[in-house]
Coordinates of all heavy atoms in Angstrom, one line a residue:
E5 N 25.5 -135.1 51.7 CA 24.7 -134.1 50.9 C 23.6 -134.7 50.1 O 22.5 -134.2 50.0 CB 25.7 -133.4 50.0 CG 26.7 -132.4 50.7 CD 27.8 -133.2 51.4 OE1 28.1 -134.3 51.1 OE2 28.4 -132.5 52.3
H6 N 23.8 -135.9 49.6 CA 22.8 -136.6 48.9 C 21.6 -136.9 49.8 O 20.4 -136.8 49.4 CB 23.3 -137.9 48.3 CG 22.3 -138.8 47.7 ND1 21.5 -138.4 46.7 CD2 21.9 -140.1 48.0 CE1 20.6 -139.4 46.4 NE2 20.8 -140.4 47.2
H7 N 21.9 -137.3 51.0 CA 20.8 -137.6 51.9 C 20.0 -136.3 52.4 O 18.9 -136.4 52.7 CB 21.3 -138.4 53.1 CG 21.1 -139.9 52.9 ND1 20.0 -140.6 53.4 CD2 21.9 -140.8 52.3 CE1 20.1 -141.8 53.0 NE2 21.3 -142.0 52.4
L8 N 20.7 -135.2 52.4 CA 20.1 -134.0 52.7 C 19.2 -133.5 51.6 O 18.1 -133.0 51.8 CB 21.1 -132.9 53.0 CG 21.9 -133.0 54.3 CD1 23.0 -132.0 54.4 CD2 21.0 -132.8 55.5
Y9 N 19.7 -133.7 50.3 CA 19.0 -133.3 49.1 C 19.0 -134.4 48.1 O 19.6 -134.3 47.0 CB 19.7 -132.0 48.6 CG 20.0 -131.0 49.6 CD1 21.3 -130.7 50.0 CD2 19.0 -130.2 50.1 CE1 21.6 -129.7 50.9 CE2 19.3 -129.2 51.1 CZ 20.6 -129.0 51.5 OH 20.9 -128.0 52.4
P10 N 18.2 -135.4 48.3 CA 18.2 -136.6 47.4 C 17.7 -136.3 46.0 O 18.1 -137.0 45.0 CB 17.3 -137.6 48.1 CG 16.5 -136.8 49.0 CD 17.3 -135.7 49.5
D11 N 17.0 -135.2 45.8 CA 16.4 -134.8 44.5 C 17.1 -133.7 43.8 O 16.7 -133.2 42.8 CB 14.9 -134.6 44.6 CG 14.6 -133.4 45.5 OD1 15.5 -133.0 46.3 OD2 13.5 -132.9 45.5
L12 N 18.3 -133.2 44.4 CA 19.0 -132.2 43.7 C 20.1 -132.8 42.8 O 20.6 -133.9 43.1 CB 19.7 -131.3 44.7 CG 18.8 -130.3 45.5 CD1 19.6 -129.4 46.3 CD2 17.8 -129.6 44.6
P13 N 20.4 -132.2 41.6 CA 21.3 -132.8 40.7 C 22.7 -133.2 41.3 O 23.3 -132.5 42.0 CB 21.5 -131.7 39.6 CG 20.3 -130.9 39.7 CD 19.9 -130.9 41.2
S14 N 23.1 -134.4 40.9 CA 24.3 -135.0 41.5 C 25.6 -134.2 41.2 O 26.5 -134.1 42.0 CB 24.5 -136.4 41.0 OG 24.6 -136.4 39.6
N15 N 25.6 -133.5 40.0 CA 26.8 -132.7 39.7 C 26.9 -131.4 40.5 O 27.9 -130.7 40.4 CB 26.7 -132.3 38.2 CG 25.5 -131.4 37.9 OD1 24.4 -131.7 38.2 ND2 25.8 -130.3 37.1
R16 N 25.9 -131.1 41.4 CA 26.0 -130.0 42.2 C 26.4 -130.3 43.7 O 26.5 -129.4 44.5 CB 24.7 -129.2 42.2 CG 24.1 -128.9 40.8 CD 25.0 -127.9 40.1 NE 25.0 -126.6 40.7 CZ 24.1 -125.7 40.4 NH1 23.1 -126.0 39.5 NH2 24.1 -124.5 40.9
L17 N 26.5 -131.6 44.0 CA 26.7 -132.0 45.4 C 28.1 -131.6 45.9 O 28.2 -131.3 47.1 CB 26.6 -133.5 45.5 CG 25.2 -134.1 45.3 CD1 25.2 -135.6 45.5 CD2 24.2 -133.4 46.2
H18 N 29.1 -131.5 45.0 CA 30.4 -131.1 45.5 C 30.4 -129.7 46.0 O 30.9 -129.4 47.1 CB 31.4 -131.2 44.3 CG 32.8 -130.9 44.8 ND1 33.5 -131.5 45.8 CD2 33.7 -129.9 44.3 CE1 34.7 -131.0 45.9 NE2 34.8 -130.0 45.1
E19 N 29.7 -128.8 45.2 CA 29.7 -127.4 45.7 C 28.8 -127.2 47.0 O 29.1 -126.4 47.8 CB 29.2 -126.4 44.6 CG 27.7 -126.7 44.1 CD 27.3 -125.8 43.0 OE1 26.8 -124.7 43.2 OE2 27.5 -126.2 41.8
I20 N 27.8 -128.1 47.0 CA 26.9 -128.1 48.2 C 27.7 -128.5 49.5 O 27.6 -128.0 50.6 CB 25.7 -129.0 48.0 CG1 24.7 -128.4 47.0 CG2 25.0 -129.3 49.4 CD1 23.6 -129.4 46.6
S21 N 28.6 -129.5 49.2 CA 29.4 -130.1 50.4 C 30.3 -129.0 51.1 O 30.5 -129.1 52.3 CB 30.3 -131.2 49.9 OG 31.4 -130.7 49.1
I22 N 30.7 -128.0 50.3 CA 31.5 -127.0 51.0 C 30.7 -126.2 52.0 O 31.1 -125.9 53.1 CB 32.1 -126.0 49.9 CG1 33.0 -126.8 48.9 CG2 32.8 -124.8 50.5 CD1 33.4 -126.0 47.7
R23 N 29.5 -125.9 51.6 CA 28.6 -125.1 52.5 C 28.1 -126.0 53.7 O 27.9 -125.5 54.8 CB 27.4 -124.6 51.7 CG 27.8 -123.6 50.6 CD 26.7 -123.1 49.8 NE 25.7 -122.3 50.5 CZ 24.6 -121.8 49.9 NH1 24.4 -122.0 48.6 NH2 23.8 -121.1 50.6
V24 N 27.9 -127.3 53.4 CA 27.5 -128.2 54.5 C 28.6 -128.3 55.5 O 28.4 -128.3 56.8 CB 27.1 -129.6 54.0 CG1 26.9 -130.6 55.1 CG2 25.8 -129.4 53.1
Q25 N 29.8 -128.4 55.1 CA 31.0 -128.5 56.0 C 31.1 -127.2 56.9 O 31.4 -127.3 58.0 CB 32.3 -128.7 55.2 CG 32.4 -130.1 54.6 CD 33.7 -130.3 53.9 OE1 34.8 -130.3 54.5 NE2 33.6 -130.4 52.6
Q26 N 30.8 -126.1 56.3 CA 30.8 -124.8 57.0 C 29.7 -124.8 58.1 O 30.0 -124.4 59.2 CB 30.6 -123.7 56.1 CG 31.8 -123.4 55.1 CD 31.5 -122.4 54.0 OE1 30.3 -122.0 53.8 NE2 32.5 -122.0 53.3
L27 N 28.6 -125.4 57.8 CA 27.5 -125.5 58.8 C 27.9 -126.5 59.9 O 27.6 -126.2 61.1 CB 26.2 -125.9 58.2 CG 25.5 -124.9 57.3 CD1 24.2 -125.5 56.7 CD2 25.2 -123.6 58.1
C28 N 28.6 -127.5 59.6 CA 29.0 -128.5 60.6 C 30.0 -127.8 61.5 O 30.0 -128.0 62.7 CB 29.7 -129.7 59.9 SG 28.5 -130.8 59.2
D29 N 30.9 -127.0 61.0 CA 31.8 -126.2 61.8 C 31.1 -125.2 62.7 O 31.4 -125.1 63.9 CB 32.9 -125.5 61.0 CG 33.9 -126.4 60.3 OD1 34.0 -127.6 60.8 OD2 34.4 -126.1 59.3
K30 N 30.1 -124.6 62.1 CA 29.4 -123.6 62.9 C 28.6 -124.2 64.1 O 28.6 -123.6 65.2 CB 28.4 -122.9 62.0 CG 27.5 -121.8 62.6 CD 26.6 -121.1 61.6 CE 25.7 -120.1 62.3 NZ 24.8 -119.4 61.4
Y31 N 28.0 -125.3 63.9 CA 27.2 -126.0 64.9 C 28.0 -127.1 65.7 O 27.4 -127.8 66.5 CB 25.9 -126.6 64.3 CG 25.0 -125.5 63.9 CD1 25.0 -125.0 62.5 CD2 24.1 -124.9 64.8 CE1 24.1 -124.0 62.1 CE2 23.2 -123.9 64.3 CZ 23.2 -123.5 63.0 OH 22.4 -122.5 62.6
D32 N 29.3 -127.2 65.4 CA 30.2 -128.1 66.1 C 29.6 -129.6 65.9 O 29.5 -130.3 66.9 CB 30.3 -127.8 67.6 CG 31.5 -128.5 68.2 OD1 32.5 -128.7 67.4 OD2 31.5 -128.8 69.4
L33 N 29.3 -129.9 64.7 CA 28.8 -131.2 64.3 C 29.9 -132.0 63.6 O 30.6 -131.4 62.8 CB 27.5 -131.1 63.4 CG 26.3 -130.6 64.1 CD1 25.2 -130.3 63.0 CD2 25.8 -131.5 65.2
P34 N 30.0 -133.3 63.7 CA 31.0 -134.1 63.0 C 30.6 -134.1 61.5 O 29.4 -134.1 61.2 CB 30.9 -135.5 63.6 CG 29.6 -135.5 64.3 CD 29.2 -134.1 64.7

């Protein structure tokens, strides 16, 4: 998540990670 959004606040990365994992499932990405 940090590499996707290096300039977004670090305290928000955990909530971002939930949505990124959902996208990985949707596009069958590891």
Side-chain angles (χ1 to χ4, degrees):
E5 290 74 21
H6 171 61
H7 266 266
L8 289 171
Y9 311 109
D11 59 345
L12 290 186
S14 59
N15 63 312
R16 308 295 291 275
L17 293 181
H18 181 62
E19 64 184 271
I20 291 172
S21 71
I22 297 170
R23 297 175 66 177
V24 171
Q25 289 181 67
Q26 291 170 347
L27 287 179
C28 286
D29 289 338
K30 178 178 179 179
Y31 292 93
D32 198 30
L33 294 170

